[in-house]
Amino acid sequence: MSYLSPEFALVFLGFLILYWGLVRWPRAQKLSLLTASYAIYASIDWRFAAILAVFSTILTGLMALSAQRTAWRRGICGTGVVLAVANLAVFKYYDFFREGIQQLAAGAGLHWAFPALDILLPVGISFYTFQAIAYLVSVAKGQCEPARAEESALYLAFFPTLFAGPICRADNLLTQIRDTAQKTILAPDLAVYLLLSALVKKVWIATWVAENWVNPLFANPDSYQGIELIVGMYAFAIQIFLDFSGYSDLVIALALLLGYQLPQNFDQPYLARNLRDFWRRWHISLSSWIRDFVYIPLGGNRHGWLRSQVNIFTAMLISGLWHGASLKYLIWGGMHGLGMVAQNTLEKVTRRTPSGWISAVLSFHAVCFAWVYFRADSFQDANHFIAGMLRTDGPVTLNVLAALVALGMFFVISVYARRMQELLVRGLAATPLLIKPLLLAAVVLVLHLLGPSGVPAFLYYSY
């Protein structure tokens, strides 16, 4: 069930009435939220809910509880982390590694054969697996005590974060779940603003950009001139930002209406001064997770400059592979890793951090160029698209000038986005209560008229 569908809106409104009707009984309220989360997940495929319950929730909960008051706390939780990673590897990466090992073996003159398995890939498994790992590590370090079964289950299955994050930590979401105080709706005016923002970003602009620029250009790059493909590269950069940040706005709003505060996941990433700054602003919950649970455990910067560069590159490769079991994602992550190593090398030589407008422009184009590998259907298709960017023959069939003007407008809006949000939220706060649902309904109606038919899917649902 898509969070943008009318069916979900009706179900969610009905659930809110039940949910807040249980406000005097916090445990019953949590159980209703847990039930709703599993019901939403099972509505896509009941096997997804079964995999979440058996291979993640029960496993994670048992490991955490088994580690309570024992000298083997770190060992037990470490075993849980290994099993969680193994679970993710089987469901998401088995075929990728099987094919890779067979190709390496064939290159060495060996004829190894591993059985091909038709394995179901649950939506959101990468996200809730990382949350499970964060929880187990927190228990292992003594940063939090094991939660009750229904609380740890809700932490992993919480439906606003289940499909595509943000990736929450135990000290954030689980702490709120364990709180026994009566909940209240948090920042209702901000929630309304975020709902409107999500609709505008995803339903209208991101979908229009995808249908008119990104999809046609990536589907058939031979039909377009190089300048059009270059603009298509920019278009996908804008599409994926609006799509994913729109999703984050939506689920943060849903969580606020349920009385929960989720972490910020985007902070105008295309205004970043350099690549390191970009990853502080893009998919913040993932980049901070990679830093804390991959880069630092690998040694971080504790073993010298050269080793830290190897750790950065390895962390970015893992970040790329996390997005999908494909060579193109590995290349995408590797490009970001090499870019950050190059930046660090320049800093070491010049003793200055790149932070001027030239660095910002170069970083933006490096990010856009890497997005081609992320968007293309395969590594080979990405190379073909990039080769086409040099083509100068043939007519220009798309309005390139208008697209470049729109790109400029996007950056202008990005510069003032935070101020605009403050003003709009303040305006909503001054709006009479009865007017707010009418305003939301009016925006939905306008977007229904301007936007595409049907319910657009979110890009990150597939990662």
Side-chain angles (χ1 to χ4, degrees), residues 290 294-295 298 307-320 330 333 337 341:
I290 293 292
V294 177
Y295 173 69
L298 285 173
R307 173 67 181 275
S308 70
Q309 305 314 300
V310 174
N311 294 339
I312 288 171
F313 183 72
T314 303
M316 294 312 300
L317 282 179
I318 292 174
S319 174
L330 203 59
V341 169

Side-chain angles (χ1 to χ4, degrees), residues 43-187:
S43 69
I44 301 174
D45 191 318
W46 67 268
R47 293 171 295 178
F48 291 173
I51 291 169
L52 171 61
V54 175
F55 293 101
S56 292
T57 302
I58 294 177
L59 173 65
T60 301
L62 287 176
M63 286 294 176
L65 290 171
S66 299
Q68 195 172 21
R69 301 188 188 90
T70 174
W72 296 93
R73 190 178 188 124
R74 287 181 176 265
I76 293 173
C77 290
T79 302
V81 169
V82 171
L83 293 175
V85 172
N87 178 59
L88 177 63
V90 169
F91 282 103
K92 189 169 183 176
Y93 300 107
Y94 174 81
D95 286 336
F96 175 74
F97 286 118
R98 179 184 67 84
E99 293 174 3
I101 292 173
Q102 288 185 162
Q103 290 176 3
L104 290 174
L110 302 173
H111 299 286
W112 292 354
F114 297 92
L117 302 178
D118 185 17
I119 299 177
L120 179 74
L121 178 59
V123 176
I125 187 172
S126 300
F127 290 89
Y128 66 70
T129 297
F130 273 23
Q131 287 199 183
I133 292 172
Y135 171 49
L136 288 170
V137 170
S138 295
V139 172
K141 292 182 176 180
Q143 296 171 344
C144 78
E145 291 299 316
R148 299 167 65 164
E150 70 270 20
E151 292 171 341
S152 63
L154 179 56
Y155 166 70
L156 294 180
F158 187 58
F159 74 81
T161 65
L162 180 58
F163 297 107
I167 302 169
C168 296
R169 307 289 185 91
D171 62 354
N172 178 274
L173 180 57
L174 186 57
T175 298
Q176 296 179 70
I177 292 172
R178 299 176 76 170
D179 188 0
T180 57
Q182 287 189 12
K183 292 198 171 297
T184 58
I185 294 176
L186 301 177

Side-chain angles (χ1 to χ4, degrees), residues 185-199 201 245-266 417-431 433 436 439-440:
I185 294 176
L186 301 177
D189 298 308
L190 176 60
V192 173
Y193 166 81
L194 291 173
L195 288 174
L196 295 173
S197 172
L199 292 172
K201 285 180 177 179
S245 67
Y247 173 84
S248 294
D249 288 347
L250 174 61
V251 298
I252 290 172
L254 296 180
L256 289 172
L257 295 175
L258 294 168
Y260 290 89
Q261 176 72 61
L262 298 182
Q264 181 183 12
N265 214 22
F266 290 90
R418 190 171 298 174
R419 178 61 176 162
M420 290 169 59
Q421 175 178 322
E422 293 174 356
L423 291 174
L424 290 172
V425 171
R426 195 179 305 162
L428 285 169
T431 302
L433 181 62
K436 293 176 184 177
L439 176 64
L440 184 60

